[in-house]
Amino acid sequence: MTGSRPPSRSRIPGSGLAKGLAVTLRTMTKRAHTAQYPDVQPELPPRSRGVIGLFEENCTVCMLCARECPDWCIYIDSHKETVPAATPGGRERSRNVLDRFAIDFSLCMYCGICIEVCPFDALFWSPEFEYAETDIRDLTHERDKLREWMWTVPAPPALDPAAEEPKELAAARKAAEKLAAARAEADRSEAEQAAGAPDATGPAAPPAEGGQA
């Protein structure tokens, strides 16, 4: 036994055309808006994903961004330098020095993984988008260009007043309050000791009886 098909709705001939004409009529009554680019720059959202800016001072050459990049479009070169001991008898340290940091924007898919995984806040989104080139090989931008884009990174949005205080600020505030309380206690102890000590500049004691004038 085969199931019966539900009866199809009867459609009025030309109803689809009428709906299309209705959309056209509604659009014709609205004023057209033309973006006068490039004479007038567009107003982009503050957190637009344009290009990636590099804050070189925060980069420790941990290579985490290059390893996590799904397109392998980040190129990093570095070398090691020996840092002398800070104190006599101390031990020398070695640190990584950044030589090259480049991003091939012809491969980048703007996923933002490199920015999210950076543990030292060295990468940021910049709303800049005018970096087209006539040669695809010129879309590999070195760290000097990435550093220029860093200065166009907008400030982060303000925190929610009802949000929990960051752990770093809470620890710093508690340490400052503890130090202020210790200083206040020390000042109070000094004031009490000064109040209880004899006054060296007070009046002299009267001479003993029978003494010479």
Side-chain angles (χ1 to χ4, degrees), residues 95-116:
R95 67 184 182 94
N96 292 323
V97 179
L98 184 66
D99 293 329
R100 184 194 183 200
F101 194 107
I103 300 179
D104 187 355
F105 284 99
S106 66
L107 297 177
C108 179
M109 63 180 183
Y110 306 92
C111 63
I113 293 178
C114 58
I115 298 176
E116 294 177 2

Side-chain angles (χ1 to χ4, degrees), residues 21-205:
L21 291 176
V23 174
T24 303
L25 292 175
R26 287 197 304 268
T27 307
M28 289 176 59
T29 58
K30 296 181 180 179
R31 183 177 180 180
H33 176 73
T34 303
Q36 302 297 331
Y37 178 82
D39 297 330
V40 178
Q41 293 294 323
E43 295 183 2
L44 300 176
R47 307 306 296 178
S48 298
R49 294 190 175 189
V51 290
I52 298 173
L54 170 67
F55 192 57
E56 187 176 338
E57 286 77 0
N58 287 358
C59 182
T60 61
V61 200
C62 65
M63 304 295 292
L64 191 59
C65 57
R67 290 198 299 266
E68 296 295 331
C69 177
D71 291 333
W72 293 86
C73 63
I74 300 177
Y75 312 113
I76 301 176
D77 292 330
S78 65
H79 68 278
K80 288 186 177 294
E81 286 186 356
T82 301
V83 180
T87 58
R91 186 176 59 180
E92 294 182 346
R93 314 185 283 111
S94 63
R95 67 184 182 94
N96 292 323
V97 179
L98 184 66
D99 293 329
R100 184 194 183 200
F101 194 107
I103 300 179
D104 187 355
F105 284 99
S106 66
L107 297 177
C108 179
M109 63 180 183
Y110 306 92
C111 63
I113 293 178
C114 58
I115 298 176
E116 294 177 2
V117 300
C118 179
F120 302 104
D121 291 335
L123 298 174
F124 297 86
W125 280 117
S126 169
E128 294 291 326
F129 63 94
E130 295 179 318
Y131 55 94
E133 300 289 347
T134 56
D135 192 342
I136 193 173
R137 292 172 293 184
D138 296 333
L139 285 174
T140 301
H141 294 288
E142 302 292 335
R143 64 177 182 176
D144 294 337
K145 188 64 176 180
L146 302 179
R147 179 60 180 263
E148 293 179 8
W149 283 328
M150 182 63 207
W151 308 123
T152 62
V153 174
L159 296 177
D160 188 350
E164 184 180 355
E165 186 179 21
K167 295 181 179 179
E168 296 82 1
L169 294 180
R173 179 178 53 79
K174 291 180 180 179
E177 292 176 354
K178 186 177 181 180
L179 180 60
R183 288 180 177 176
E185 182 66 23
D187 294 341
R188 184 167 58 254
S189 300
E190 292 179 0
E192 292 176 355
Q193 292 178 2
D199 190 356
T201 60

